[in-house]
Amino acid sequence: MSLEQTINDWTKIRQRHPLPGSHPDLKWAMAIDLDACTGCNACVVACYAENNLPVVGKEKFAAGQAMHWIRIERYWNEGDEVTPHQGAQFLPMLCQQCEAAPCETVCPVGATNHTPDGLNSQVYNRCIGSRYCSANCPYKVRYFNWYSYPDQEKAWPEPLPMQLNPDLTVRTKGVMEKCTFCVQRLMDARNTARNEGRGVRDGEVLTACAQACPTSAITFGNLSDPHSMVAQKWRLQRVELDKDRQLKDIDGSHPGLRGYRIFEDLRPYPSIMYLERVRDNQA
Amino acid sequence: MTTKRLLGLFNDFDQASAALRELRDANLPYLDWNDVTIKSPIEHPDVEDVLGVRSIPIRNYTLVGALLGGSLGFLGLATSQGNFFSQLKGGKPIIPLPPDFVLTYEMLILGGVYITVLGFLICAGLPHRVKSDLYDVKVSEDQVGVMVKANAHCITEVRKIFESHKVLSIQEEVVR
Amino acid sequence: MNTVTQAKEKDIREDIAWAQINRDVLASLAQPRGTYWAIFAMAFGMFLVGVGCEAYQYEKGLGVSAMNNPDVWGLYIATFIFWIGMSHSGTLLSAILHIIHADWRKPIYRFAEAMTTFSLMTAGLFVAVHLGRVWQIYYALPYPNERWAWPNFQSPLLWDAMAIFTYLSSSILFLYVGAIPDFAICRDNATGWRKTFYEKLSLGWMGTDRQWRNFRVAYLVIACFLIPLAVSVHSIVASDFAMSQQPGWHITSFPPYFVAGALYSGCAAIITLFIMLRYTFRFEEYMTMPILDKTARLTFAIAMVWTYLNLIEYSSVWYGSDQVAKETLIQRATGPYAFYWWSMNFLGSVVPFTLIFKKLRANLTAMMIVSLLLNLGMWLERWMIVTPTFSHGYYPWTWDHTFFPSWVQWGIVFGSFGWFGMLFMLFCKLVPSVSMYEVKEMVFHRKLAKVHVREA
């Protein structure tokens, strides 16, 4: 721990991120097929169950203080709003685990960082609740604990505490939280794999939302493993992690490509690729 | 030989500086010019010129303070970022230069100001017990005082010079 | 022969006796009467309202402030910036005008500098109120701990913390050091507990040439440091917004825009306090109408700078290709906050034109009202920077939400003015609000100048 070490590591600590080859072994990523998504909200319920999310109630939900780490957004074409129960397009939005996350730089105490396996971490016990990370997030996928749900708001009246997941904490008021790609499952899978002296196999660990989706719209896996489903999907769509403009958008020469990342031009390098809905008329 | 101190109070700066000029020209023996002090309600660089050039060491304190603050700022940041909180944030390098520049700048100013104030207190000789020196409350109001330390022989000469310039009051005390 | 005609009123009479200056200012430090206690009680009452609201919020959680996702910053951040902005007035008067030898600042800079210090203390309160877990605010400080966790120096909020700490401590030191000769005067004229109090504060100042020499240099040096510090502090506060990428915030001209707004806000507050102090302590000889006139003209100049930067921001957004920024601007002008946005533009850009009229500048009631309106405009400006971006940011799912603060937020903002009032009132009775030695210098130099004119 010294000036000497700083000088030795100078090249490494002056590099920006992501660069090609930033994650040689393990990079968690997702692909969400919007054509397969039916808007059933099973992923949302699974996330609530897996991650000890409090149900805030009708009043607080209307006030915009809900805690859904994954949310299904509904969009209509112009003219279709008259029949809201038909024709909506569904977009599951969750933390994009950006490689160059705008939330990471602005936390005053460093409660959010980028892990070596490509996740954007949120450290609950370090968070002092300044909410700058949420202000800077372009997707607004960060959720703040506006109230103390476990004790004061009684979000889990007896016997519901029996249903809580013991692998992660229940957050108190004043702390920011967001989707972690079910990091408790990932840690468990990595530990098991390490104990057995191997890498994590594709499909061995799934996030709660990917597991619950009835149409398999959500694909989750290791992007650095060239044989994983998610890496194959990314490759098929010619989407690369460390580029800020993909082949699909550069010119119209590849009309069959459906893969895109949201707000790519802001250059947060998100880890979730969305597959565009196949339209039933010429777009 | 007893050393005495004399404080003469004058109505304004003109009379005080005239008295000082005469005192300087009189060139009295056993009177160290460095012991001559002016006590005034406001500063007056012209009268101080009569006293001669005296050093203002405070500027050195400022320089040292600013450099100390700036280097502590940068080293404190860079080493801490490189060594013990070296996690990637937002795709930026682990030791990013713009934030380090901003904080080094602030710490430079912090160091400069604190050490200047410290330097001021040291150079001005504060805090100082008023009771251990000749002083009159009129100095803080509107009268200018000239204080001279000399031995008993010269004191009568000094008194004469003061009285010839319309001194309002004289205090005398024996030093040691 | 030149006969100096009495056409213009002077900043100060050259023939004021120095003993008179002492007497007049020391009279303001006398034992306060009933009115003082009544007003102090009012300020305390306001403060208690704020404390009550904060206690409720602390207990229940920040949700009671009606903030939500995505509207995560509300009046707390807006008012925080407002108070930091107001603090720039003292530096402007003390430091900038000192360096350019504008001596008309001498009777008024003391209370302006005090205003700086107390504004910064009030702004500090808002940091605490705004945080979700205030009890762990010390995480933002670089202290050694066994987790090897230091704050994130990349965050503009942390730059804020360091810059404001530097600014607050430097301001207090500047105010204190500049007041040492005045404390000596108070010590020489006081009795009882006050004498001991001023004895301690004046550090045995005797006005020797050695002390004055070093004082002069120290004051100038700190003033030279304080000017870039003040500019950088508010630029850093502006970076909280400019360094993000949200539309309506990611604007290069934000740092100078905020600094201009700060100087504007501070000058208007100086006018308000000037009129109040002049009336309360009968400082008509020192806080003269020509000085008010000059301050008003300075306010107008800064108002025009602010207006320019404001309009430049709108024009560059309107003229550019950044679609989202343009939509955010349109939403500010036509959306749910339109009334407040247009009020801000009116109060900030149109109302200062009243300062052109000499008759209005000479009317104390009008100036009081105008200065309060200008500050209201500046407070609205801060709010209009913070909230509308949340209501129309990048993400369509967040649109169509209208966010207005709850009574808790308003209560705490209200309470902060009470806190500031309390501090300022305590200051008025403990520290001479007009700098006696500097006024003596002003009178002395003007007398000399007049003599030279007559001799010429």
Side-chain angles (χ1 to χ4, degrees), chain C residues 33 45 51 63 100 116 136 166 176 182 185 199 204 244 257 262 364 387 409 411 441 446:
Chain C
R33 295 186 308 274
V51 168
I100 62 174
T116 293
Q136 277 161 350
T166 307
Y176 174 64
D182 273 356
I185 299 176
E199 247 167 35
S244 75
Y257 176 57
L364 286 177
T387 306
Q409 292 199 49
E441 275 174 24
R446 285 186 181 227

Side-chain angles (χ1 to χ4, degrees), chain A residues 172-192:
Chain A
T172 178
K173 64 178 180 225
V175 170
M176 187 64 82
E177 60 183 43
K178 65 173 186 72
C179 165
T180 58
F181 273 2
C182 290
V183 67
Q184 64 278 9
R185 293 184 176 198
L186 302 179
M187 295 307 294
D188 200 38
R190 287 176 59 194
N191 284 338
T192 318

Side-chain angles (χ1 to χ4, degrees), chain C residues 78 81 91 149 164 186-187 193 230 339-340 355 371 377 423:
Chain C
I81 301 171
T91 314
I164 290 168
C186 296
R187 168 199 67 203
W193 66 267
F339 171 69
Y340 303 103
L355 297 172
S371 65
L423 286 175

Side-chain angles (χ1 to χ4, degrees), chain A residues 10-27:
Chain A
W10 192 255
T11 328
K12 188 183 110 203
I13 52 189
R14 288 286 305 147
Q15 256 175 4
R16 49 166 278 274
H17 184 90
L19 294 169
S22 292
H23 296 286
D25 298 317
L26 193 52
K27 162 67 198 157

Side-chain angles (χ1 to χ4, degrees), chain C residues 36-348:
Chain C
Y36 176 86
W37 292 119
I39 300 177
F40 192 84
M42 223 166 64
F44 187 63
M46 284 170 76
F47 177 60
L48 282 182
V49 167
V51 168
C53 292
E54 165 60 12
Y56 177 58
Q57 185 183 271
Y58 188 89
E59 170 60 28
K60 285 281 285 181
L62 272 158
V64 299
S65 62
M67 287 193 272
N68 53 41
N69 182 30
D71 186 40
V72 289
W73 283 356
L75 294 189
Y76 302 142
I77 292 281
T79 317
F80 163 74
I81 301 171
F82 172 74
W83 283 113
I84 302 266
M86 194 129 102
S87 74
H88 277 49
S89 60
T91 314
L92 169 68
L93 246 56
S94 301
I96 301 178
L97 292 181
H98 176 64
I99 287 183
I100 62 174
H101 298 300
D103 68 347
W104 55 269
R105 88 183 222 290
K106 286 188 201 270
I108 58 175
Y109 87 89
R110 174 65 52 70
F111 77 78
E113 187 60 47
M115 198 173 87
T116 293
T117 310
F118 301 140
S119 300
L120 288 171
M121 288 189 200
T122 317
L125 288 184
F126 277 99
V127 175
V129 165
H130 149 85
L131 283 180
R133 297 208 295 175
V134 192
W135 52 96
Q136 277 161 350
I137 193 172
Y138 60 90
Y139 282 176
L141 298 172
Y143 71 99
N145 58 71
E146 73 278 2
R147 285 162 294 180
W148 295 90
W150 270 38
N152 175 20
F153 294 112
Q154 288 189 40
S155 169
L157 278 186
L158 198 77
W159 307 345
D160 262 0
M162 295 288 141
I164 290 168
F165 172 71
T166 307
Y167 193 32
L168 178 61
S169 49
S170 302
S171 251
I172 291 178
L173 283 173
F174 192 51
L175 178 66
Y176 174 64
V177 166
I180 289 178
D182 273 356
F183 286 136
I185 299 176
C186 296
R187 168 199 67 203
D188 291 340
N189 289 283
T191 50
W193 66 267
R194 280 178 224 266
K195 191 172 179 72
T196 334
F197 176 63
Y198 291 120
E199 247 167 35
K200 293 264 178 334
L201 281 179
S202 60
L203 298 178
W205 175 267
M206 285 187 299
T208 64
D209 60 290
R210 174 184 168 202
Q211 287 170 351
W212 277 119
R213 226 181 1 256
N214 284 293
F215 180 84
R216 191 169 54 240
V217 171
Y219 195 81
L220 185 66
V221 161
I222 302 181
C224 287
F225 269 126
L226 229 59
I227 296 171
L229 178 63
V231 172
S232 72
V233 163
H234 221 55
S235 301
I236 287 173
V237 170
S239 307
D240 284 351
F241 300 101
M243 296 280 176
S244 75
Q245 16 77 315
Q246 299 296 313
W249 283 5
H250 190 55
I251 296 167
T252 324
S253 68
F254 256 26
Y257 176 57
F258 271 54
V259 176
L263 293 173
Y264 188 6
S265 180
C267 276
I270 284 178
I271 295 177
T272 315
L273 290 173
F274 180 111
I275 297 172
M276 292 206 286
L277 281 176
R278 180 192 149 107
Y279 173 75
T280 319
F281 292 129
R282 289 190 238 287
F283 280 149
E284 288 93 358
E285 285 286 352
Y286 311 106
M287 298 184 182
T288 58
M289 293 309 287
I291 294 181
L292 180 66
D293 191 81
K294 288 193 178 58
T295 316
R297 281 188 276 161
L298 182 64
T299 310
F300 177 72
I302 297 177
M304 290 303 107
V305 171
W306 178 84
T307 304
Y308 167 71
L309 287 167
N310 203 23
L311 293 177
I312 267 290
E313 182 205 321
Y314 302 155
S315 353
S316 55
V317 165
W318 193 256
Y319 201 55
S321 311
D322 190 345
Q323 194 58 33
V324 191
K326 205 164 174 173
E327 283 176 22
T328 309
L329 179 64
I330 295 173
Q331 202 251 4
R332 277 177 160 86
T334 57
Y337 304 102
F339 171 69
Y340 303 103
W341 191 81
W342 285 105
S343 304
M344 158 199 118
N345 280 304
F346 177 75
L347 292 174

Side-chain angles (χ1 to χ4, degrees), chain A residues 1 63-65 68 71 73 75 91 93 102 104-110 124-132 134-140 142-144 146-148 152-153 172-175 262-263 266, chain C residues 58-73 130-133 135-137 139-140 148-152 154-158 239-241 243-246 249 390 394-398:
Chain A
M1 293 290 166
Q65 294 169 340
H68 38 54
R71 59 185 189 232
E73 298 168 359
Y75 296 101
L91 183 77
M93 174 51 65
E104 287 165 5
T105 41
V106 294
C107 175
V109 291
Y124 304 130
N125 47 0
R126 181 73 176 166
C127 177
I128 57 173
S130 72
R131 309 188 293 290
Y132 199 168
S134 171
N136 220 17
C137 177
Y139 311 97
K140 301 296 180 208
R142 285 175 150 275
Y143 300 92
F144 187 70
W146 298 105
Y147 297 93
S148 191
Q152 286 175 314
E153 300 297 316
T172 178
K173 64 178 180 225
V175 170
I262 301 183
F263 290 153
L266 294 178
Chain C
Y58 188 89
E59 170 60 28
K60 285 281 285 181
L62 272 158
V64 299
S65 62
M67 287 193 272
N68 53 41
N69 182 30
D71 186 40
V72 289
W73 283 356
H130 149 85
L131 283 180
R133 297 208 295 175
W135 52 96
Q136 277 161 350
I137 193 172
Y139 282 176
W148 295 90
W150 270 38
N152 175 20
Q154 288 189 40
S155 169
L157 278 186
L158 198 77
S239 307
D240 284 351
F241 300 101
M243 296 280 176
S244 75
Q245 16 77 315
Q246 299 296 313
W249 283 5
F390 289 125
Y394 280 114
Y395 210 85
W397 174 82
T398 66

Side-chain angles (χ1 to χ4, degrees), chain A:
Chain A
M1 293 290 166
S2 61
L3 195 55
E4 197 188 314
Q5 188 169 332
T6 310
I7 295 170
N8 285 342
D9 289 339
W10 192 255
T11 328
K12 188 183 110 203
I13 52 189
R14 288 286 305 147
Q15 256 175 4
R16 49 166 278 274
H17 184 90
L19 294 169
S22 292
H23 296 286
D25 298 317
L26 193 52
K27 162 67 198 157
W28 300 110
M30 232 186 222
I32 301 183
D33 190 343
L34 297 178
D35 201 44
C37 177
T38 60
C40 69
N41 276 278
C43 50
V44 177
V45 176
C47 183
Y48 268 81
E50 172 71 21
N51 294 299
N52 302 337
L53 296 187
V55 174
V56 300
K58 207 157 140 185
E59 230 178 76
K60 292 192 176 68
F61 193 97
Q65 294 169 340
M67 303 298 292
H68 38 54
W69 290 3
I70 182 170
R71 59 185 189 232
I72 301 292
E73 298 168 359
R74 303 175 297 166
Y75 296 101
W76 288 268
N77 289 325
E78 278 211 49
D80 279 351
E81 312 97 45
V82 187
T83 47
H85 51 283
Q86 287 176 312
Q89 300 178 46
F90 303 106
L91 183 77
M93 174 51 65
L94 57 157
C95 173
Q96 307 281 297
Q97 313 287 346
C98 311
E99 285 289 295
C103 56
E104 287 165 5
T105 41
V106 294
C107 175
V109 291
T112 171
N113 300 287
H114 211 70
T115 65
D117 53 352
L119 294 178
N120 173 266
S121 67
Q122 178 69 31
V123 183
Y124 304 130
N125 47 0
R126 181 73 176 166
C127 177
I128 57 173
S130 72
R131 309 188 293 290
Y132 199 168
C133 51
S134 171
N136 220 17
C137 177
Y139 311 97
K140 301 296 180 208
V141 279
R142 285 175 150 275
Y143 300 92
F144 187 70
N145 282 281
W146 298 105
Y147 297 93
S148 191
Y149 290 105
D151 44 7
Q152 286 175 314
E153 300 297 316
K154 308 277 187 286
W156 295 283
E158 290 293 335
L160 286 177
M162 304 278 278
Q163 155 254 313
L164 289 171
N165 188 347
D167 288 340
L168 75 162
T169 55
V170 175
R171 284 76 56 191
T172 178
K173 64 178 180 225
V175 170
M176 187 64 82
E177 60 183 43
K178 65 173 186 72
C179 165
T180 58
F181 273 2
C182 290
V183 67
Q184 64 278 9
R185 293 184 176 198
L186 302 179
M187 295 307 294
D188 200 38
R190 287 176 59 194
N191 284 338
T192 318
R194 190 178 55 234
N195 288 340
E196 292 173 13
R198 57 169 177 86
V200 177
R201 286 191 284 260
D202 186 38
E204 186 184 348
V205 62
L206 283 180
T207 57
C209 47
Q211 187 186 7
C213 179
T215 56
S216 304
I218 302 181
T219 314
F220 177 79
N222 178 5
L223 197 65
S224 298
D225 173 5
H227 303 293
S228 68
M229 277 254 278
V230 76
Q232 285 176 21
K233 288 202 169 172
W234 279 57
R235 228 174 20 244
L236 208 67
Q237 301 297 333
R238 314 282 270 276
V239 172
E240 288 172 68
L241 188 65
D242 50 278
K243 298 275 185 299
D244 60 5
R245 227 164 147 229
Q246 310 297 338
L247 198 57
K248 176 176 181 289
D249 299 311
I250 286 178
D251 53 32
S253 58
H254 291 77
L257 290 180
R258 294 168 53 212
Y260 71 102
R261 295 186 297 176
I262 301 183
F263 290 153
E264 220 166 11
D265 45 315
L266 294 178
R267 291 200 285 280
Y269 303 102
S271 311
I272 301 186
M273 175 184 73
Y274 287 86
L275 296 164
E276 211 180 33
R277 193 176 141 170
V278 176
R279 294 169 207 277
D280 44 0
N281 48 349
Q282 287 286 11

